Amino acid sequence: MSQIYKREMVFIVTGVVALVMMLDYFFGKNIPGISGAGNISSTLQTWALIIQLMAIGLGAINLIQVHYRQISRKTNMAVYSAWFMGFFALLLLLGFYKLATGVELYPYTWIFKNVYVSLGTTLYAITGFYIFSAAYRAFRARNIDAAILLIGGIFVLLANAPIGEVIWGGFPLIGNWFNNVGQVPGMRTFTVVGALGLLAFGFRALIGKERGFYSEVQ
Amino acid sequence: MGVWIILDTKFVALLLLIAAFALFYGYMTLAKGGMKIKARAFPAVAAISEAIGRAAEMGKPVYYSTGMGQGTLNNQLNGPQTLAGISILGYTTRLCAKSGVKITYFTPIADSLPLVEETMRTSYMAEGKPEEFNPAVAINFQNEQSPFLTASLGWIQREKPAASILLGGFYYESVVLGEAGNTIGAMQIGGTANTHQLPFLVATCDYTLIMEELYAASAEISGNPDVLGSLRGEDILKFFVLILLGLGFILALVNNNSLISLLKV
């Protein structure tokens, strides 16, 4: 019974919110009480933001549960989980201190700038190597399609690499043509069919027919 | 009436939206009434059960992610993709529960976590194994891309999953996760509606759901004729868009921009 109640509630809330947002978008200020500061549309958007922030709190609890389990079961990951818990507690305390006093302590900024940002940037830079190995796989000329892709790829590569223009002046012209003209129709087709798929998906979700994420078994 | 209806291009967009919804609804009703809808089977969807079977034979887990998706469900481009990914996660989890395969879901989208937990719990319950569901199989990384990616890479290297399923709104993590899966020889199924990441998933995955296929996959999985009817409506809409494109092309040749002005929002 509670499952049915929960499902119906999701449908009703989704439907009402979607209707309000559509009315706001299409009719704007012409319907009193729909849009503008303090009206129903902006209130719903504020609620969405609050729910989103609450979910971050929920996410923190999930992280603690996951890592506590690793530590209590003494798995081979327990040492990393303990490391995580230590840093989590430290940053939480520093954050609360900032909230209470308005003073941002040096370790708080230092950890963010020198640990978090550095590691994030390093990881992003590593992507270059992954793209290289993925490109190697994609550009193997196993059939005629892959061979055409390889030829196109070589032109685009040499158009972007300074040495391409030194070898032959035509590389930037042809490479840029692939970039600016050749690939555009294909990508736009993807965008159009993607939008149509989204429209159908949205409609199914709106009328409660798209049930996979409503915790219903498919 | 004319007072509160904005007589601009938004009104045209509204009319088109209503027409599209009417088309979807019409075909869904016809399909429910017995109209035969032949839906093309997606190889990527069929490959999910193959991947789970492989994982069961090898005794290895399955990695599942819906990608970064701008770190929130509250995003018009990526939110629906994440939801589509969660829909397919329900089906995948059910297959895993049936075969006794462990599945771990990684996400940086904290607000998707309650949906994911419920979806996975329901799938285990449907297979009569609610006790096997462990909330720790859904791991979130608080809207942060790098920690999500680092943890995923570490997990993939340690656990060596037999299959890696990447369905949702992906950003640069698509190529990293795809290549990490390739390195350990995992069977990979990918899908996104983000055009900028599509080439990476095509290059790294064994099967790919391209653009609208990601949204249509859950309709195919459900097998409901009325849900499949919406796909027929979508196909009809594609023909309409093709006609509009052709018309716009001809009008542009004679320097007439009236259609562009009418449809511009």
Side-chain angles (χ1 to χ4, degrees):
Chain A
M1 185 64 193
S2 64
Q3 284 290 327
I4 295 167
Y5 174 72
K6 192 167 67 181
R7 189 185 68 199
E8 299 309 327
M9 277 302 289
V10 172
F11 293 159
I12 292 165
V13 170
T14 311
V16 170
V17 171
L19 190 68
V20 169
M21 298 317 289
M22 277 163 72
L23 285 174
D24 176 34
Y25 179 76
F26 287 113
F27 301 109
K29 291 170 185 168
N30 293 282
I31 302 178
I34 285 282
S35 65
N39 279 324
I40 190 163
S41 165
S42 59
T43 306
L44 283 175
Q45 287 179 52
T46 311
W47 283 6
L49 198 64
I50 292 168
I51 293 169
Q52 201 178 317
L53 292 172
M54 282 168 69
I56 291 178
L58 191 71
I61 295 168
N62 165 269
L63 275 176
I64 293 168
Q65 278 178 333
V66 169
H67 291 281
Y68 174 74
R69 198 169 276 123
Q70 300 268 25
I71 295 167
S72 61
R73 289 181 184 172
K74 292 180 181 156
T75 64
N76 55 352
M77 295 302 295
V79 62
Y80 300 109
S81 293
W83 190 242
F84 164 82
M85 290 292 228
F87 261 94
F88 187 90
L90 176 68
L91 281 168
L92 196 69
L93 282 174
L94 291 171
F96 278 137
Y97 181 82
K98 189 191 165 189
L99 269 181
T101 62
V103 180
E104 193 169 281
L105 290 175
Y106 181 67
Y108 188 81
T109 329
W110 189 89
I111 290 171
F112 183 76
K113 279 186 184 168
N114 297 294
V115 179
Y116 181 78
V117 174
S118 312
L119 288 174
T121 314
T122 308
L123 189 72
Y124 191 71
I126 288 172
T127 312
F129 296 100
Y130 284 109
I131 291 175
F132 188 77
S133 61
Y136 171 73
R137 187 173 299 105
F139 287 147
R140 273 180 300 180
R142 286 163 296 188
N143 51 39
I144 187 77
D145 296 348
I148 293 168
L149 183 73
L150 173 66
I151 293 164
I154 288 170
F155 277 108
V156 174
L157 191 77
L158 290 172
N160 286 297
I163 198 168
E165 198 169 4
V166 177
I167 297 169
W168 179 47
F171 279 129
L173 287 174
I174 299 169
N176 288 333
W177 182 87
F178 277 121
N179 252 343
N180 303 326
V181 183
Q183 57 96 27
V184 173
M187 289 314 249
R188 284 190 183 164
T189 308
F190 280 145
T191 309
V192 170
V193 294
L196 295 178
L198 179 58
L199 207 59
F201 182 81
F203 180 70
R204 290 198 301 269
L206 203 60
I207 62 168
K209 292 286 181 186
E210 186 62 53
R211 298 183 167 186
F213 59 87
Y214 282 144
S215 310
E216 284 201 18
V217 176
Q218 298 202 83
Chain B
M1 284 290 282
V3 177
W4 57 277
I5 291 178
I6 305 165
L7 289 173
D8 62 2
T9 51
K10 269 191 184 175
F11 185 63
V12 179
L14 177 64
L15 286 180
L16 289 173
L17 186 71
I18 292 169
F21 279 5
L23 198 64
F24 297 145
Y25 190 74
Y27 273 103
M28 285 168 91
T29 311
L30 285 173
K32 206 174 178 181
M35 183 190 181
K36 289 260 181 270
I37 303 283
K38 267 179 81 176
R40 177 172 62 90
F42 298 125
V45 173
I48 293 176
S49 55
E50 192 189 322
I52 307 303
R54 183 176 188 259
E57 279 174 15
M58 294 170 76
K60 285 184 175 178
V62 170
Y63 174 90
Y64 198 107
S65 179
T66 48
M68 179 63 200
Q70 293 274 11
T72 173
L73 282 177
N74 191 13
N75 178 272
Q76 57 187 3
L77 181 67
N78 292 282
Q81 293 185 60
T82 308
L83 292 178
I86 294 172
S87 285
I88 305 166
L89 170 70
Y91 167 72
T92 311
T93 308
R94 192 167 177 185
L95 290 178
C96 286
K98 201 174 185 176
S99 323
V101 172
K102 279 186 183 174
I103 178 169
T104 301
Y105 172 82
F106 282 73
T107 181
I109 306 172
D111 48 356
S112 73
L113 208 59
L115 277 179
V116 168
E117 281 191 9
E118 275 305 299
T119 303
M120 293 178 87
R121 183 181 284 117
T122 312
S123 296
Y124 275 94
M125 278 167 68
E127 284 303 318
K129 300 175 179 174
E131 71 287 350
E132 285 187 20
F133 172 70
N134 173 4
V137 297
I139 306 171
N140 104 91
F141 294 92
Q142 302 293 64
N143 304 5
E144 294 294 339
Q145 197 170 23
S146 299
F148 152 64
L149 206 42
T150 317
S152 293
L153 289 176
W155 191 88
I156 288 170
Q157 283 299 323
R158 281 190 307 274
E159 303 289 334
K160 302 214 170 2
S164 172
I165 303 176
L166 314 167
L167 298 170
F170 280 85
Y171 282 81
Y172 89 87
E173 68 272 13
S174 65
V175 66
V176 179
L177 293 174
E179 276 305 289
N182 259 316
T183 313
I184 56 151
M187 181 174 171
Q188 301 208 98
I189 299 156
T192 186
N194 287 344
T195 45
H196 45 87
Q197 296 305 313
L198 211 48
F200 294 128
L201 287 179
V202 170
T204 56
C205 293
D206 300 296
Y207 296 92
T208 321
L209 288 170
I210 297 172
M211 303 303 286
E212 51 147 1
E213 291 178 346
L214 177 65
Y215 301 119
S218 60
E220 195 207 316
I221 288 167
S222 78
N224 280 344
D226 53 337
V227 177
L228 288 173
S230 70
L231 299 185
R232 173 65 67 88
E234 199 184 314
D235 283 346
I236 303 292
L237 207 57
K238 274 181 210 164
F239 283 111
F240 176 69
V241 170
L242 274 176
I243 292 167
L244 274 182
L245 280 172
L247 199 63
F249 179 73
I250 292 164
L251 287 173
L253 284 177
V254 292
N255 283 330
N256 186 332
N257 290 328
S258 53
L259 191 64
I260 296 170
S261 313
L262 192 69
L263 296 176
K264 197 179 257 178
V265 176

